[in-house]
Amino acid sequence: MEFNPKRRTSNIILLISAFVIVSLILWNTNIFFEKFKQEERLKIENWAAAQAELLNSSIDQELGNLPVQILQNNASTPMILINTDGSVKTHNIPEELEADSLKLQKKIRQFKNENEPISMSYKGEELAMLYYGNSDVLNKLKYYPIALLLIIFLFAAVIFFFFKTNKASEQNKVWAGMAKETAHQIGTPLTSLLGWNELLKSENINPDITKEIEKDISRLQTITERFSKVGSIPTLEVYDIVSETEKAYQYLKRRSSKLIHFSFSSEIEKLPVLLNPPLYNWSIENLVKNGIDAMRGKGNIAIQIEKHGNFVHIMISDTGHGIAKSEYHNIFNPGVTSKKRGWGLGLSLVKRIIEEYHKGKIKVFSSSKEGTIMQISLKANV
């Protein structure tokens, strides 16, 4: 795959620009936070000075408007004042917290971690120690960078998923277009083969030869039909899942090596399911062929049908080398294959047919050195 150098350079520039912008915002926010915190400390120091003057004033002494105004204006910063005699006074602290000494001590430790306590003194005599916490505005400002990063992250995630969905949509269009074009390209020589086969019949050729040609033509018609249906939204009709699975089983059994031992079992005799038989049979065929490849052409293939509630499970097992647990999900991605000459589209195609077209599920039920069991789950039409 070739990458566009210009597009790559623009992506790098965009990424660096976004990083620089976010860094500048966080840096300015931090500067603003520290500056606001210093101003708040200055406000608390003024309050402490006013409080110290109030504590040392006589009853008949007039304090003036400034100390009183300073004391009254501070209605947001929580404070705990511990006098030298051990008595405690609180300001902007909830009453329930003030009544609980343990919670109050915990709050004092919290304030001490947030801000350096202020020693209140008057004319060189220490009067009290003031512990104060951050105001609501400061606390909200402290979490602003986190909220900003979260918003940026969510915005980036939305953009990422948008482009990912858009890319997947484009890939689906390419997939559908290629499938339709393949069906069209096969259809032209197929029509010609039908005409040539009829001509051979009229020439009194050995009937066995023309019958074998007809089988191959029929097979090509099935392949064409499959690609045609993959390239568009297929119609689903009610079919017996047991009968359709057994048809696929019998077809594969007749055309596989004698070194492969096939077995088929079902705990139900009949069950209606919405199906597109050509595509469903293609899925079974791909799973069985994968199992045969894993066994290197020799071993046991078993197909078993089970019913659980409203769902029917089709289990395809082999005695191959198994799949690593870490690869359970990756094997359904396009291009993933263990074969040297494989395209890695078989299981991806099966997933598309089962999950997108039939609204079912496919997964690796279990896998070990003794073999692998793949499970298709479809909803019964009952």
Side-chain angles (χ1 to χ4, degrees):
M1 181 182 293
E2 296 182 358
F3 295 94
N4 189 333
K6 291 183 179 179
R7 185 176 180 182
R8 185 176 180 180
T9 303
S10 62
N11 287 341
I12 293 173
I13 292 172
L14 185 64
L15 184 64
I16 293 173
S17 301
F19 178 77
V20 170
I21 291 170
V22 171
S23 300
L24 287 173
I25 292 173
L26 293 177
W27 180 63
N28 279 288
T29 303
N30 185 61
I31 291 175
F32 180 70
F33 177 81
E34 291 298 328
K35 187 176 181 181
F36 192 85
K37 193 169 184 177
Q38 289 174 6
E39 290 180 357
E40 189 161 280
R41 183 172 181 84
L42 182 61
K43 183 177 70 173
I44 298 301
E45 287 176 348
N46 291 335
W47 188 92
Q51 183 70 21
E53 188 174 344
L54 176 65
L55 291 173
N56 283 273
S57 63
S58 59
I59 299 175
D60 56 347
Q61 181 181 354
E62 291 186 8
L63 290 176
N65 292 329
L66 183 59
V68 175
Q69 190 173 0
I70 291 173
L71 293 173
Q72 290 177 345
N73 284 344
N74 192 353
S76 59
T77 306
M79 293 179 287
I80 300 175
L81 187 69
I82 302 179
N83 296 311
T84 52
D85 60 2
S87 60
V88 178
K89 292 183 179 180
T90 62
H91 189 65
N92 298 328
I93 297 288
E95 292 182 2
E96 61 271 14
L97 184 65
E98 187 178 349
D100 192 328
S101 59
L102 291 177
K103 289 183 178 179
L104 197 62
Q105 289 297 323
K106 186 177 179 181
K107 184 61 71 172
I108 291 172
R109 289 193 294 272
Q110 178 189 332
F111 287 172
K112 191 175 180 180
N113 290 330
E114 290 179 356
N115 300 287
E116 184 70 25
I118 296 174
S119 177
M120 292 172 53
S121 59
Y122 188 78
K123 295 182 178 181
E125 181 184 355
E126 187 174 343
L127 302 176
M129 187 66 73
L130 178 63
Y131 298 88
Y132 72 97
N134 295 329
S135 63
D136 291 338
V137 176
L138 199 60
N139 281 328
K140 289 176 181 178
L141 186 63
K142 181 172 64 176
Y143 294 112
Y144 173 74
I146 299 174
L148 180 65
L149 287 174
L150 183 61
I151 291 170
I152 293 171
F153 173 76
L154 291 174
F155 184 69
V158 168
I159 294 175
F160 171 77
F161 284 113
F162 171 76
F163 281 110
K164 188 177 180 181
T165 305
N166 190 43
K167 185 178 180 181
S169 177
E170 289 179 359
Q171 289 176 343
N172 285 337
K173 289 179 181 178
V174 172
W175 179 289
M178 288 181 64
K180 287 181 178 179
E181 181 62 21
T182 302
H184 175 72
Q185 293 293 339
I186 294 175
T188 303
L190 189 58
T191 304
S192 179
L193 284 173
L194 286 168
W196 282 109
N197 194 46
E198 291 299 322
L199 182 61
L200 289 174
K201 287 180 181 179
S202 65
E203 295 292 333
N204 296 321
I205 301 295
N206 187 347
D208 292 336
I209 296 175
T210 54
K211 283 182 181 179
E212 289 301 319
I213 293 175
E214 283 178 352
K215 288 180 182 178
D216 290 333
I217 290 174
S218 177
R219 177 63 176 167
L220 285 172
Q221 286 175 328
T222 301
I223 294 171
T224 304
E225 185 181 5
R226 287 173 176 176
F227 274 103
S228 177
K229 292 182 183 299
V230 166
S232 58
I233 299 175
T235 55
L236 304 180
E237 296 180 4
V238 178
Y239 287 90
D240 176 23
I241 188 67
V242 179
S243 174
E244 291 301 322
T245 306
E246 191 169 7
K247 284 179 185 177
Y249 162 79
Q250 292 296 344
Y251 174 83
L252 293 165
K253 183 179 179 181
R254 287 195 300 269
R255 284 159 178 76
S256 299
S257 168
K258 299 298 180 183
L259 298 175
I260 306 296
H261 178 262
F262 282 85
S263 64
F264 177 86
S265 63
S266 175
E267 65 178 27
I268 51 176
E269 292 184 4
K270 189 176 182 180
L271 185 68
V273 173
L274 280 173
L275 281 180
N276 183 282
L279 293 182
Y280 173 73
N281 292 342
W282 198 2
S283 299
I284 299 296
E285 183 179 321
N286 276 327
L287 291 174
V288 170
K289 285 184 176 180
N290 269 7
I292 292 173
D293 289 337
M295 299 186 302
R296 297 181 181 177
K298 183 179 180 180
N300 299 324
I301 293 287
I303 299 178
Q304 185 177 355
I305 299 176
E306 301 174 354
K307 185 176 183 297
H308 294 274
N310 292 330
F311 288 87
V312 58
H313 300 320
I314 300 93
M315 322 289 284
I316 297 96
S317 61
D318 62 63
T319 53
H321 51 71
I323 304 168
K325 197 167 185 178
S326 59
E327 295 296 319
Y328 277 15
H329 295 288
N330 292 335
I331 60 172
F332 294 104
N333 294 330
V336 177
T337 179
S338 59
K339 292 178 281 188
K340 292 182 179 179
R341 297 184 180 180
W343 287 85
L345 295 176
L347 289 178
S348 174
L349 184 64
V350 172
K351 185 179 179 67
R352 183 185 179 93
I353 291 171
I354 297 300
E355 297 192 354
E356 291 189 26
Y357 294 157
H358 289 82
K359 307 304 177 186
K361 289 288 181 183
I362 180 167
K363 67 177 182 178
V364 181
F365 184 78
S366 66
S367 188
S368 65
K369 293 181 180 179
E370 285 72 36
T372 300
I373 302 176
M374 304 294 291
Q375 176 182 287
I376 294 175
S377 299
L378 298 172
K379 192 174 183 180
N381 189 45
V382 291

